[in-house]
Amino acid sequence: MGRGTPRALARLRKLCLELPEAHEVEAWGEPTFRVRNKLFAMYADASNHHGGGRPAVWCKAAPGNQRVMMQAAPDRFFVPPYVGPSGWIGIWLDGGADWTELSELLRDAYRLTAPKRLAARLDEARTAT
């Protein structure tokens, strides 16, 4: 892995791995985050072609959300290569990333990927606090 932004990756890793049964797997030279081995988010290091000079995360998004986010904030969101045509969204992690919003986007990506039982655990944990 390149030099990128270690602090951003550490924060991203913490947000992803606190989700029920989430785990990290290195793939394509990058940390990816999965549930039951299904990908819901991927770090894109600034120092390679995935990040294009800026650290980012790519995550699964609900149908239509990619377009809405891109129109609302093209300075924060982008269509990532490879998975973009499937509706995934890229989020830049530099320039004052909104980590509260990112946490919600990661939870949404997790819900879209996780089995219903695990997704329900995520919602149960939220209502219990």
Side-chain angles (χ1 to χ4, degrees), residues 53-114:
R54 297 175 70 186
V57 62
W58 306 349
C59 62
K60 194 168 189 175
N65 281 2
Q66 181 193 72
R67 183 180 48 79
V68 170
M69 288 187 273
M70 286 287 306
Q71 289 175 343
D75 57 323
R76 291 194 340 250
F77 301 111
F78 65 97
V79 177
Y82 312 113
V83 294
S86 298
W88 285 49
I89 190 71
I91 305 111
W92 299 118
L93 298 178
D94 58 0
D98 182 338
W99 288 93
T100 301
E101 176 184 57
L102 181 57
S103 175
E104 290 303 316
L105 292 172
L106 292 167
R107 287 173 174 272
D108 289 347
Y110 176 90
R111 280 187 194 94
L112 290 168
T113 308

Side-chain angles (χ1 to χ4, degrees), residues 1 13 23-34:
M1 185 170 39
R13 185 174 276 134
H23 61 281
E24 182 176 336
V25 175
E26 185 172 324
W28 311 289
E30 302 283 14
T32 64
F33 301 95
R34 303 165 185 246

